[in-house]
Amino acid sequence: MGSAGVPVVVGLDNGGTSNNATVLTVDGHFLVDGLLEIPSEVRAGPEAAIEALAQALDGALAQTGVPRDLVQAVGLDTPGPASAEGVISSRGSTNFSQPAWRGFDVRGALERRLGLPVIYHNDGNAAALYAHHVYFGADAMNRSSVSAIVGTGLGGGVVESGRVIAGAAGMAGELGHVHIPLNGLLGPDQPEPTCACGFTGDVESVASLTGIERNLLPYWLTRYPDHPLAAEPVARAAKLVRGYGEREDALARDLFTQQAKALGRLFTVAANFTDPHAYFVGGGVVEAAPEFRDWFLATVREHTVLREEQAAVATFALVPDRDMAGARGVAIAALEALRAVPEPRPLVA
């Protein structure tokens, strides 16, 4: 239950099927331990979806016993592509497929519905912010990090001095579309991987579920033609391959080694661009059996080229609590916006 009279911020994580909500006190304590989910209604259009977000906020307050008048601000994250101000791309989005969503100001609409300030990030940035603050704790505002979140696509975020770098158009941290060298990454006679965005040889074309289905699995099945996955439709096989990886299957380990190498090349770019204190990996690929997860992260690290001085101070770690990371990350962002003080202070106690 909420502490009597202590102001709070609320974090709302919007997804294709569910909204998740959390509550964070202004002195840095989360009042929700697990998932608080309700249907997101995004397929029913913007009006229904904004109402569902408002209901998620009301549900979180009811769960924690916090009166509405103690809410100071709200953090919101959604899948992209969207601007830094929370305007859905005019070209639409996988999750926001109805024409009414194109160019829709989801942040502004929620702000008007709630009558409260709403701070927006995309879901990759939100998870990156949460990983950063959980890992560094009281020192978070003095540290930097880069996060790669492997999902259907490749999301992520760049955090500097405890704050997400959004960029001029809100598209900083779109790590999936960074081009990486393919020399030495591809197998014999392997076609250059293509991305749904139109690029060839970006990170997402290798390190994502879409990349597995579109590029990696069709190739690796030619190298292992008798593999059981050859009998499955490729979309289903792509979702099953991680289970084989956990059992140390040769095809799966070759495929995931290729993904880990791609992330290592991405982090090598980051090392020469932002030189962060930490490199975080998250998403389905590491929500796996501990041996596989640890092997994958170690392989990413092995293929990240750092100078001796960088290796001495850099950390590689996993994004924690992925299911809750979005809501918690935007709650932290809302609290940081509220504080807006020149002196760095820890945001999570």
Side-chain angles (χ1 to χ4, degrees):
M1 300 295 282
S3 305
V6 177
V8 302
V9 296
V10 174
L12 298 175
D13 169 47
N14 166 264
T17 56
S18 299
N19 292 326
N20 180 41
T22 196
V23 180
L24 176 63
T25 64
V26 294
D27 53 2
H29 294 88
F30 285 105
L31 302 181
V32 177
D33 289 330
L35 288 171
L36 279 182
E37 288 190 311
I38 67 165
S40 64
E41 307 294 349
V42 294
R43 290 178 181 84
E47 191 174 327
I50 294 297
E51 200 54 39
L53 285 165
Q55 289 175 15
L57 180 141
D58 290 341
L61 296 181
Q63 177 80 15
T64 55
V66 174
R68 180 75 154 62
D69 61 7
L70 287 179
V71 181
Q72 304 291 296
V74 174
L76 169 68
D77 80 275
T78 74
S83 74
E85 289 75 39
V87 177
I88 303 300
S89 169
S90 60
R91 298 180 64 182
S93 157
T94 302
N95 284 276
F96 305 105
S97 55
Q98 282 195 351
W101 279 112
R102 293 173 192 164
F104 183 77
D105 180 4
V106 64
R107 187 206 65 80
L110 184 62
E111 190 167 81
R112 289 189 295 275
R113 169 64 178 82
L114 298 178
L116 289 162
V118 175
I119 289 81
Y120 176 83
H121 283 299
N122 70 42
D123 53 0
N125 282 347
L129 191 62
Y130 179 61
H132 182 94
H133 281 272
V134 168
Y135 188 85
F136 288 115
D139 216 20
M141 303 307 281
N142 302 312
R143 292 289 180 267
S144 60
S145 64
V146 171
S147 297
I149 317 292
V150 185
T152 304
L154 184 85
V158 179
V159 177
E160 183 65 45
S161 299
R163 296 179 176 91
V164 169
I165 295 178
M171 294 178 182
E174 290 288 344
L175 303 179
H177 305 300
V178 172
H179 285 81
I180 53 172
L182 298 178
N183 183 38
L185 177 66
L186 301 181
D189 302 317
Q190 185 172 6
E192 291 193 348
T194 59
C195 181
C197 77
F199 285 166
T200 296
D202 63 9
V203 190
E204 186 173 299
S205 69
V206 179
S208 66
L209 180 62
T210 304
I212 292 176
E213 180 180 340
R214 184 181 182 128
N215 302 308
L216 303 194
L217 197 53
Y219 169 74
W220 285 108
L221 284 171
T222 68
R223 315 298 291 185
Y224 295 88
D226 298 326
H227 196 279
L229 287 177
E232 300 282 354
V234 69
R236 175 172 159 76
K239 293 176 181 174
L240 294 174
V241 71
R242 188 184 71 188
Y244 282 90
E246 291 175 325
R247 298 190 292 275
E248 300 190 46
D249 173 81
L251 175 151
R253 288 292 171 117
D254 281 347
L255 183 153
F256 284 113
T257 295
Q258 202 160 47
Q259 283 204 335
K261 285 181 177 179
L263 292 177
R265 291 178 181 215
L266 170 66
F267 286 160
T268 301
V269 172
N272 289 285
F273 206 87
T274 68
D275 187 24
H277 292 93
Y279 302 85
F280 296 116
V281 179
V285 73
V286 293
E287 288 161 16
E291 186 276 333
F292 177 83
R293 186 183 64 210
D294 294 345
W295 166 81
F296 187 83
L297 186 64
T299 307
V300 172
R301 184 170 195 163
E302 177 189 345
H303 291 279
T304 303
V305 181
L306 300 179
R307 293 176 176 81
E308 186 178 338
E309 298 88 342
Q310 293 174 312
V313 295
T315 301
F316 287 71
L318 302 173
V319 175
D321 309 319
R322 180 182 174 235
D323 287 343
M324 296 185 291
R328 288 188 166 194
V330 286
I332 289 169
L335 181 53
E336 190 272 325
L338 263 189
R339 289 179 170 175
V341 290
E343 286 301 312
R345 297 163 61 188
L347 297 180
V348 179

